[in-house]
Amino acid sequence: MFALDSRLQQDTVALGDFPLSSLLLMNDSQYPWFILVPRREDVSEIFQLDSADQQQLWREATQLAEMLKDTFDADKMNVANLGNVVSQLHVHVIVRKQDDVAWPGPVWGKHPAVPYKEEELARVREKLRMALGDGFRFSQE
């Protein structure tokens, strides 16, 4: 049975589900930083997914990155799969702007997280509601 890694549970807000992946928001208001986690057991690497799931993960990451670029007016989209700290397979999709606090370096470990306030989180959810298609199911808030 699929279970989300405890570190991801601790550091993120669950937003909902694509057909394959759960969509999480890193609880750091300095960047629109999203994480896709395929709902598959005991998978730490993309190559451990079957071919259909690999293709679906790429579709979801691409769709999400394209939508976020437009919705959040990104200067650059960072899409990455590292897994050095959290081994459960997950893909970071991060909106980068030239005026963000870590630009042009990576966001990891640069600055302490600044958690979202409820009204900021509500604005992010509303932007996503307007931009995500029928293939996405929002979590109960």
Side-chain angles (χ1 to χ4, degrees), residues 13 15 25-32 34 72 113-128 141:
V13 175
L15 297 174
L25 174 66
M26 183 65 81
N27 195 8
D28 186 351
S29 63
Q30 297 172 103
Y31 327 89
F34 298 84
F72 289 91
V114 178
Y116 280 93
K117 296 177 181 154
E118 283 302 317
E119 58 274 6
E120 293 171 322
L121 191 53
R123 279 194 297 274
V124 169
R125 286 182 199 271
E126 188 55 34
K127 283 183 176 189
L128 294 178
E141 298 171 26

Side-chain angles (χ1 to χ4, degrees), residues 36-50:
L36 290 169
V37 183
R39 291 181 308 280
R40 299 293 184 258
E41 285 183 69
D42 301 322
V43 175
S44 59
E45 305 295 343
I46 292 173
F47 61 77
Q48 292 174 319
L49 295 172
D50 66 31

